[in-house]
Structures are given as structure tokens and as C-alpha cells.
Amino acid sequence: MRILFFGRLRDLAGSSEVQAPDTFETLADLRRWLAETHAGLEQALAQRGVRVAIDKAIVGNGDVSLRSAKEVAFMPPMSGG
Amino acid sequence: MRPIVRVSETAFSAEDELRAFMRGRDDSGACASFVGLVRGGEVSALELQHYPGFTEAEIERIASEIAQRHSINGLLAIHRAGRMTPGETIVLVAALSAHRAAAFKAVEELMDWLKTDAPFWKREWRDGEAAWIEPTAEDYKRRARHDTETA
């Protein structure tokens, strides 16, 4: 699946997009994998105000299923235009 | 009425877009518009990131709500993304309605939302240093005022 980063998170990730294995069951699994593969991202992703969208739909704070998810976006607080 | 929403990675002409938007609209007696420019001074450049597909859908969702609330006949929102320098057009919002009050209100409400809550991530360059920008307390207060007015 595609993992997308925006704003500050993009700088920390070092790219706008990474490809993750399709095997993760939940968002928590993906977060663990990102923490292992991208040092420095773990804290930033857990910060208040960072929102997550799965296939372009915002999801809540709880652990969410990633089954059949194609795209996960991590979004820091939106600045407006 | 479905709002017209576009996020453009390249420069656009607000004049041309507005002319096309108003053409043949004899259903409306008023067209109010707002054009936002990149302000110079301390900021030498700015960059807006958007999430293609998501950003447009969010703008359209809010624009539809506003259009319905004010009986708007046509609503247009074009927003720049990418890197911009002072003087460039960053946003155009325009509304068509039977009378002017509704069109003015719709433009102001959509602009307020675009400025504070639209899914953009903004970076500004000052003295060669880049910094990510988040909404100001004033932006949030302004928005809360509208929420109260429309509640």
C-alpha cells in the first residue's frame, strides 16, 4: 500500500510517499513498521493534531483495520491556504 | 448546484476564470468575488502542499454546504498549490446569487474556511529560512464567530 506524508511529516520521512507491505492488519501494525523503518517519524506521527486518512477518508484515533486499504495518509495540522 | 472546485499547481488568471464563470448567468443579479494574492514583505516565497483528490473533495463538501445555506446559484473556488512568490494569485472565490447579500456572505464564509481549515500544508520562506505554518488563534476565533452566526 502507498503511505503518504504531508507538511513537516514529509520532511521527516525524507519523501512524500513510501511503499509499505500489504500484510498489515491494523493501523497500529503500520505505525510500528514506520517507526522501525523511519527513525524520527514515530514521535511525529503520534503527535496531537496528526490525522490519518485511509483511502482518502479520515479515520478516528482508535486502532483501525487496514484490510483492503490501498492508501494511508498521515497529515499534520492543516494550515489552510 | 454543484460548486466548481479546482486546485492548480500552475498559475491561473482570476480575470479569465471569473469571466467564464459569469458568462450567460442571467439567473443571478449578483456576483461577488475575492482574489487572494501572495503578500510580499518578509516572506520571499511560499509553498502549499495539497492531497490531490482529498483536498478538492473537502473544499467541494464545504462549498456545497455554504451554497445551500445562502441559496447560491453558482460557487467557484480555484486554489493554487506548489511554490509561489509575492504578487501571484493564490485563490479565487466567486458566488452568484439573486441578490448581493447572499453572494457576499458565501464568499466570506468559504474564504474563512479556506484560510484556516482547508487541507493544505503551508511553508514560508523568510530570510532564506523555511518554516511550516499552522493556523493562528485569530483564524480559529474568526471561524468560531461564523459557526455561532450560522448555528
Side-chain angles (χ1 to χ4, degrees):
Chain A
M1 73 186 92
R2 298 169 75 198
I3 314 300
L4 307 179
F5 301 105
F6 296 93
R8 278 182 284 120
L9 296 176
R10 188 173 287 188
D11 291 353
L12 289 168
S15 67
S16 59
E17 180 178 339
V18 299
Q19 200 65 34
D22 286 325
T23 50
F24 301 124
E25 292 273 308
T26 69
L27 190 54
D29 296 336
L30 171 63
R31 283 180 187 277
R32 269 191 291 277
W33 179 81
L34 283 169
E36 284 165 17
T37 53
H38 292 73
L41 257 188
E42 185 178 15
Q43 268 197 320
L45 291 181
Q47 260 170 15
R48 248 185 95 218
V50 172
R51 289 197 272 179
V52 179
I54 297 177
D55 293 332
K56 297 192 171 72
I58 300 245
V59 295
N61 286 325
D63 198 12
V64 183
S65 169
L66 285 185
R67 247 175 252 179
S68 76
K70 293 192 166 50
E71 189 176 281
V72 180
F74 289 93
M75 306 184 286
M78 295 157 186
S79 67
Chain B
M1 193 281 302
R2 191 174 172 186
I4 304 163
V5 173
R6 217 167 75 223
V7 176
S8 173
E9 290 277 351
T10 54
F12 66 91
S13 161
E15 296 88 338
D16 291 352
E17 298 289 350
L18 191 57
R19 197 175 303 119
F21 175 65
M22 291 192 298
R23 191 172 297 140
R25 295 305 298 251
D26 57 3
D27 59 340
S28 301
C31 179
S33 66
F34 173 85
V35 178
L37 309 171
V38 178
R39 191 172 55 240
E42 290 172 4
V43 175
S44 58
L46 69 81
E47 179 199 343
L48 283 180
Q49 285 176 7
H50 77 298
Y51 182 0
F54 178 84
T55 299
E56 291 89 340
E58 282 289 289
I59 297 173
E60 188 174 328
R61 183 172 65 83
I62 298 297
S64 295
E65 281 175 22
I66 292 170
Q68 200 163 21
R69 189 152 65 228
H70 297 294
S71 302
I72 293 299
N73 295 333
L75 192 51
L76 170 73
I78 303 177
H79 212 295
R80 266 298 304 277
R83 192 180 161 100
M84 285 154 270
T85 51
E88 282 190 70
T89 297
I90 183 168
V91 63
L92 166 67
V93 166
L96 289 158
S97 59
H99 303 284
R100 67 186 181 283
F104 278 134
K105 273 213 176 87
V107 169
E108 189 179 25
E109 284 179 23
L110 185 52
M111 269 314 304
D112 283 349
W113 180 83
L114 284 169
K115 280 297 289 179
T116 54
D117 292 309
F120 289 102
W121 295 274
K122 179 166 26 186
R123 183 158 43 171
E124 289 181 351
W125 277 262
R126 292 165 193 262
D127 301 323
E129 298 266 318
W132 292 102
I133 306 299
E134 286 175 15
T136 64
E138 191 58 37
D139 288 333
Y140 283 123
K141 225 191 298 179
R142 200 175 157 76
R143 182 182 146 227
R145 202 190 67 204
H146 276 305
D147 287 348
T148 315
E149 279 172 2
T150 54

